[in-house]
Structures are given as C-alpha cells and as structure tokens.
Amino acid sequence: MIYLVWVPLLMPFLAVPAARRLAAALPPRHAAWLLTAVALVLAVSSSAALVLLVVPGASYLPPVAVLGELLEPLTAGPPAVTVALALTAGALLVRHTAALTAAAYRARTELRRARSATGGTDGELAVVRDSRPDAYALPGRPGRIVVTTGMLHALEPAEREALFAHERAHLRGRHHLFLTAVELAAHCHPALRALCEPLRYALERAADEAAAAAVGDRRLAARAIGRAALAARHGQAHGPARPRAVLAATAGPVPRRVAALLGGAVSGPPVRPRTGRLIAGALLCCVTLSGATAVGAANDLHTHIEIAQGESAAD
C-alpha cells in the first residue's frame, strides 16, 4: 500500500500537461468537460492517497487502535518512516481543507455581495448605473446578466445583443459550476492549478461560439467582444474586481478569442490525428491509473485492518 499511494500523488504532474495539450485541440465545450473531469478525478485520487498515508501512522495512537480494534499498529514500513509520512500527509490535508473551505466561503460571499448589488431587479438583465464599462453572467436563481450603463454606452445595439448572447450562454451552460469545481480541485494538488486558465479560456470560447450562432454573424460577435474588452480595460483600471466565480466576455486572452471567431478555429492549434490519439491514450492511462491505484491502496489497507483485527480476535 505504501508504494501504491505515491501514484495518485505524482500522476497529476504527468496528466495535467497532457490534458492541456489535448484540450487545446478540442472544441471549447468538449475541452471544458475534459479539463473538469480530469481535475476532479485527480483531486479525489490525490486526496484519498493522503488519507491513506495518515491511517497507518494514526494507528499508533491508542484511541485509534481501540476504535479499530487493532492488536498492533498498521505498519507499512519502519515505524519512524510511517509516522513521519502520516504527520506530513496530515498537515497537507489540513492545509488543503482549510484552503478549500476558505475559497468556497469567499466565492459564496462574493456572489452574495454581487447579487445584493443587483437586488430588486426583475428579469434576466440587470442594469447597474456605473460609468465603468462592465458586463458578466451572475449565476443564481435566477441567473442574471449584469451590465453597467457604461458598457451599454460603449456598444452599438447589435453589439449589445451579441454581448448578451455570450453571457446568456454562460448562464444556460452553468459554466460557473465547471470553473468552481476546477478551482476548488486545484486546492487539493498544486499541479491542478495549471488547469484553471485553460478552462476559463474554453468556457469563454464556448460562449463566444454560442453568441456567434445566436446573432448569426461571427464578425459581429468578434467585434462586440473586442470592443467590450477594450472599453472594460480602459474603464476598470481602478474599479472593483468582479467575483472570481463569474464569467465575462471581456475576460481572458481576448485577441486570441477574436482571432478564433474570425478564423473559425477551435480552442487552439490543430493536432495530427495520430498525435491526438497518443495524447488522449496517455491521458486516459494517467487518470485511470491514478484512480485505480487509489482504490487498490484502499483495498490493501482494508485487508491489513481485517488481518490485524483477526489476529486480535485469535489472541
């Protein structure tokens, strides 16, 4: 078991680059699903591995031994090494849990504050009187498209419709759930942080394509996004930051997104079919191996516990 638990802890360093490369060659919607699924599986597997490292060392504590009805500690190696690994893994678990809890609380607080600022508004569109150009999709029940008067003045009527279609796509696709899931997973393993920006880009590209389809003009959608981003960048240099959990047409690498809209490209440079299959196969192996070894290590530990309990009963 002591050897198996290292696989889920090390595998993200191999799987994340493969996921980023593969997502860059996929359509935006598929890329978002891929990045989110990979992040969640790797986060759960690595967290489970840390728990499995804690248990053998914790079995040296009398209360744990009594609770588990163990005759002797569950040693998976030299006692000093087992206890040291348990202490390190326990410290990491505490740190990750604290960071994850703080991030979830902060996101919820920011969303509540943003919704209170648009309180009393009926309908999908919430217009905020503010000279700073801004617009974003605010999730909730119901979801709202928040736009400032400054942004409305910066765009032409057709461009506004394209902007609203973009934000509406975020709400309909519940894109904030993808983003929240990956950002929380990133607190479970440092390598997973590298998936946050590609996911944001994929979600914005998915909304870009939805907006282009809604207005029936890719050039109009590209122009609306570009003008909105320029206006927001100039007007919000000293403005308050929007909640991290929301998505907006003005976020991310806008020139790259505009170029993709005008060129009809997917999320990134094309990948040869054979290379894509190799990357996908490697990624599938990494994710499967991470999850399988975590389950295998858990079964191995369970077997050791049953053996220890059986020895106790025999005595």
Side-chain angles (χ1 to χ4, degrees):
M1 188 272 291
I2 193 66
Y3 302 107
L4 289 178
V5 294
W6 291 106
V7 175
L9 295 175
L10 297 176
M11 200 54 65
F13 294 105
L14 298 177
V16 167
R20 287 169 57 95
R21 184 68 185 93
L22 184 60
L26 292 176
R29 183 171 175 270
H30 296 163
W33 277 102
L34 171 72
L35 294 170
T36 304
V38 169
L40 291 177
V41 172
L42 294 178
V44 171
S45 299
S46 60
S47 298
L50 290 177
V51 173
L52 294 174
L53 282 173
V54 170
V55 174
S59 66
Y60 281 88
L61 298 174
V64 175
V66 172
L67 182 63
E69 299 180 354
L70 302 175
L71 177 64
E72 58 184 14
L74 298 171
T75 56
V81 175
T82 302
V83 173
L85 287 176
L87 290 175
T88 303
L92 288 174
L93 277 174
V94 171
R95 179 181 178 183
H96 293 169
T97 302
L100 192 151
T101 303
Y105 177 78
R106 182 171 57 253
R108 184 178 181 182
T109 301
E110 290 177 350
L111 288 176
R112 281 185 173 181
R113 186 180 300 115
R115 288 194 67 84
S116 65
T118 61
T121 301
D122 295 328
E124 180 188 50
L125 186 64
V127 179
V128 178
R129 293 186 178 277
D130 194 331
S131 60
R132 294 186 298 268
D134 195 15
Y136 55 87
L138 182 62
R141 296 183 181 179
R144 292 173 180 169
I145 300 172
V146 180
V147 61
T148 64
T149 52
M151 181 63 79
L152 293 177
H153 293 321
L155 301 180
E156 297 177 0
E159 294 169 343
R160 296 175 195 165
E161 291 303 318
L163 180 67
F164 296 158
H166 176 103
E167 306 302 350
R168 190 175 295 114
H170 282 317
L171 295 176
R172 289 180 177 175
R174 301 182 70 81
H175 290 170
H176 67 286
L177 296 180
F178 292 80
L179 183 61
T180 300
V182 174
E183 290 194 338
L184 292 180
H187 290 288
C188 299
H189 196 288
L192 299 181
R193 296 171 188 168
L195 295 179
C196 294
E197 286 306 315
L199 176 65
R200 280 184 174 271
Y201 177 74
L203 294 175
E204 293 300 341
R205 283 285 297 116
D208 290 344
E209 293 295 331
V215 299
D217 188 341
R218 299 181 68 86
R219 296 186 65 85
L220 172 60
R223 186 172 70 248
I225 292 168
R227 291 190 62 182
L230 287 174
R233 180 173 299 181
H234 176 74
Q236 287 195 333
H238 303 288
R242 68 171 68 94
R244 284 186 55 85
V246 305
L247 291 145
T250 58
V254 174
R256 183 182 171 195
R257 290 167 48 204
V258 169
L261 273 174
L262 296 178
V266 291
S267 297
V271 174
R272 293 180 179 179
R274 182 178 179 181
T275 303
R277 288 193 295 269
L278 289 175
I279 296 175
L283 178 60
L284 180 61
C285 288
C286 289
V287 174
T288 302
L289 188 60
S290 180
T293 51
V295 173
N299 289 333
D300 192 13
L301 178 62
H302 183 263
T303 300
H304 283 300
I305 293 175
E306 287 185 334
I307 293 173
Q309 290 174 337
E311 291 175 351
S312 176
D315 291 346

